[in-house]
Amino acid sequence: MTSIGTGYDLSASTYSPDGRIFQVEYANKAVENSGTAIGLRVKDGVVLAVEKIIHSKLLMPESNKRILTIDKHIGYTSSGLLADGRQLANRARDESQSSRDFYREPPTLKTIVNRLSLFIQAYTLYSSVRPFGCTSLLASVDKHGPGLYVIEPSGISLGHHGAAVGKGRQLAKTELEKLKLNELSMRQAVYEAARIIHLVHDDAKEKDFELEMSWIGAETNNIHLPVPKDLFEDADKQARDALLEDMED
Amino acid sequence: MDHHPTNWGRPRDDRVDPYGTFPIHARPRPKEDAFGDAVKHTQQPIVTGSSVIGLKYKDGVMLAADNLASYGSLARYKDVQRLHPVGTSTILGAGGDMSDFQYIQHTLDSLIIEEFTYDDGNKLGPTEIYQYLSRIMYNRRSKMNPLWNSLVVGGIKSDGESFLGYVDLLGTTYQSPTIATGFGSYIAQPLLRNAVDEHPEPLTEEEALSIIQKCMKTLFYRDARSLNKYQVAKVTAEGVTISDPIEAPTVWGFAEGIRGYGAQTQ
Amino acid sequence: MPHQERRFNPYTENGGTILAIAGEDFTVIAGDTRQSEGYNIQTRYAPKVFRLTDKAVLAVNGFAADGNMFVQKVQQRLEWYAHAHNKPMPLKAIARLIQTMLYAKRFFPYYVYNILGGIEEDGSGAVYSFDPVGSYEREACRAAGAAQSLVQPFLDNQIYFKNQLPPPGGAHPRHLPLNDVLSLVIDSFTGATERHIEVGDGLEIYIVLAPNKSSVELERLPGVKRIQGTFDIAGDASPDVTAAAAAVGVTGEKMFVMRRELKKD
């Protein structure tokens, strides 16, 4: 990168002459090289799926969850530095609880996303801190219906129909664009999500991975829950079979 | 100079009656801390709920409470739910101050959400909720700032056994096969104990419901702060269910003959 | 002033009675299981007697919420002690701990009468009784609670032989055998149940035996159950095991609980 060595990339509180903040861009690099995470906002709910890279065979299966719960009705996952993601999840939990304490009702997703964005953005202002090295996906069904937001290290937050972050994001986005997300059911979305994660995973280059999926919507009584085992296994199997068929073709 | 025990520990003020000529109880007492009145704690309940009753039966526990929240003798709110589910295997019923009860509901809801976000497979059952509530209530009474409630906790424990316990504003706790709070401890508790003690087998759901209905009806007849509109909650292995408001059939024909109620004016 | 009268009263009385008697090489600690407030029986089973260690049992009576909280706090302190010293706290140390904990709340007392019973380090049975703010003494027997005034005079007469003449040429026995003590305890509670409305429903008797005392006779009694403790060792351990256990403070006291029904009216 041309910027390296110019001195404008040493602090988040310094702009480069052409108006960029390199520290924030580097934070995005941490996300771009990490396992893929996708979200599908469909007709009656939202589905989250992540490609959890297994760094070691010694790790327990299903441990070190990548999809977390913020509140009964808010799901969270991130791509990038896992530790930063956990920190942000905890922050979001605190925000959600304090909103409940004050208003005595479940916060809307937008409320939490706005508060979390402000928090993340504050870490792009000072030389004494490092921007968060992760992009967050937040999924919810609130009084406005299903919602899916993405917050980047810059603190920018945008609502999405479908979102993909991490290493396989380009291919995943192409796949998501082919879907009629507004017409899918949650159940269909689970199959699509599993298929996309398996599809974008690069067997040749990557280590082993574990698929992780959660959903929220009509099927879960608007509570954020892991996708039930039987459905998960069926979706996982179909996704694997589809890949094999493609290879044979 | 003044060695009488009643005056021990009081600031000495020799200008006032140094020879102790006043009777002891009439001695001028030094004023208490000027800021002592600045902090006000709950000294009495305001909007109140009456009895809560509960019993264990074959498949779990059953609780009932009417839908009235009184303001003194005024029947102020007639559509108040005094039964609150906590998690998936516990039900909480409350009498006493309704604003304190709402605070308790919020505290428990927050606890359940926090526990849910941990996603560690751990569930809070009735014993945990009961213990948690007893600590909250005892702590508040120890700060001389009580939550003015009588609470009944019912549910199914993780081992499948049913649970029924009581906690109140003093932090007093107990568990029992039948529980009735407030006026219900006089009216409903004997009926409930009779039903359970006289029965060799555990009560069936129908039997439990029928005795609960009998208790609620009797309470409506006898408790001036009650309403003939109540809800029944049950916790079984299937989970928590709270009924829609129920009305008990009542008969008032006999009242015509009662002086001061019926036609007579004398 | 109405304000004074309406002031929140943080205390109540929950009835019931407790009792402990020390023998030469055993101690018996008992309590009824009724919990009441005024004329209401709240529950027929609320324990007032608690195992603290292998050789110590605490009975609490008075305001039940204070009692339960106090027992939990004592148990927590004993657990910390056990973790720090790898042995259970000796009885006389528990007694002093309880006095310190009670006195710490001298100006907002636990409204509780405590009786601590168990086996001392010298193998003798011991009873310590406390007032709510921590004054305590070691005694041979003590009753407390609602029916104290009924039970204590009976105990004075039967245990201390007050108002009894010794047999001609003899003396009163210094200690009574276990069976006699158990009979006295049961009679005390049936008597108190008969004459005091706050006593009844159930009787829970804890029996702690000194290391060398045989439990054969006791185990033959109906409703007696052995309690196995954290620091407990099997009764028939080899001398090697016993010596090794003694080195970490495990000395082989045996604890039993005996449950009896009392009248429920």
Side-chain angles (χ1 to χ4, degrees), chain B residues 43-44 131 135 138 141-142 144 146 148 169-176 185-186 193, chain C residues 6-12 35 40-44 63 65-66 68-69 72 108 110:
Chain B
Q43 303 292 348
Q44 55 179 339
Q131 190 75 356
R135 292 299 176 90
Y138 183 82
R141 87 98 218 188
S142 298
M144 292 298 277
W148 214 285
L169 73 169
L170 292 173
T172 307
T173 56
Y174 58 85
Q175 294 171 49
S176 177
S185 66
Y186 299 95
R193 283 198 183 142
Chain C
R6 296 176 77 91
R7 225 176 103 83
F8 170 63
N9 174 203
Y11 293 113
T12 190
Q35 191 181 106
N40 288 317
I41 296 172
Q42 294 183 314
T43 180
R44 300 192 192 280
F63 173 34
D66 270 352
N68 291 327
M69 188 57 64
Q72 290 197 15
F108 187 17
Y110 290 112

Side-chain angles (χ1 to χ4, degrees), chain C residues 189-204:
Chain C
F189 277 94
T190 40
T193 302
E194 201 60 41
R195 286 289 181 174
H196 199 115
I197 56 166
E198 292 171 5
V199 181
D201 291 333
L203 173 58
E204 218 162 48

Side-chain angles (χ1 to χ4, degrees), chain C residues 13-258:
Chain C
E13 276 262 22
N14 296 106
T17 277
I18 51 171
L19 156 65
I21 300 170
E24 191 176 13
D25 50 7
F26 67 86
T27 300
V28 174
I29 307 97
D32 69 327
T33 64
R34 174 176 292 181
Q35 191 181 106
S36 58
E37 192 174 14
Y39 290 148
N40 288 317
I41 296 172
Q42 294 183 314
T43 180
R44 300 192 192 280
Y45 185 71
K48 282 194 277 289
V49 190
F50 301 91
R51 194 192 83 100
L52 295 180
T53 68
D54 290 350
K55 43 197 156 203
V57 174
L58 182 61
V60 288
N61 196 232
F63 173 34
D66 270 352
N68 291 327
M69 188 57 64
F70 185 70
V71 168
Q72 290 197 15
K73 292 208 166 195
V74 171
Q75 283 174 332
Q76 185 176 48
R77 294 287 292 262
L78 294 177
E79 191 176 327
W80 288 344
Y81 181 99
H83 287 144
H85 299 92
N86 197 222
K87 65 163 191 172
M89 190 186 281
L91 191 70
K92 70 171 198 288
I94 299 176
R96 177 59 70 90
L97 173 72
I98 288 172
Q99 108 116 161
T100 312
M101 290 173 69
L102 288 171
Y103 194 78
K105 271 174 67 69
R106 172 61 181 80
F107 297 107
F108 187 17
Y110 290 112
Y111 189 29
V112 175
Y113 289 87
N114 282 283
I115 301 177
L116 173 70
I119 303 296
E120 294 279 21
E121 283 175 302
D122 66 3
S124 62
V127 165
Y128 292 89
S129 71
F130 302 78
D131 82 350
V133 288
S135 303
Y136 77 112
E137 63 175 330
R138 187 179 166 179
E139 296 175 293
C141 82
R142 169 62 65 185
Q148 182 189 38
S149 57
L150 278 69
V151 176
Q152 190 66 51
F154 173 67
L155 257 30
D156 289 343
N157 178 251
Q158 293 294 308
I159 306 280
Y160 291 123
F161 298 101
K162 293 283 166 64
N163 299 96
Q164 284 195 59
L165 291 174
H172 290 306
R174 279 196 38 147
H175 294 288
L176 292 177
L178 178 56
N179 274 330
D180 293 17
V181 168
L182 285 174
S183 300
L184 285 173
V185 169
I186 292 168
D187 287 352
S188 297
F189 277 94
T190 40
T193 302
E194 201 60 41
R195 286 289 181 174
H196 199 115
I197 56 166
E198 292 171 5
V199 181
D201 291 333
L203 173 58
E204 218 162 48
I205 308 170
Y206 280 71
I207 302 134
V208 198
L209 303 184
N212 296 321
K213 184 162 174 70
S214 163
S215 61
V216 179
E217 223 178 310
L218 180 62
E219 277 171 288
R220 270 205 285 268
L221 293 173
V224 172
K225 245 177 54 187
R226 174 110 192 240
I227 300 174
Q228 298 287 348
T230 335
F231 284 91
D232 211 355
I233 53 166
D236 54 356
S238 69
D240 282 358
V241 173
T242 316
V248 291
V250 180
T251 41
E253 283 82 1
K254 289 191 275 289
M255 193 180 292
F256 299 84
V257 66
M258 181 177 184

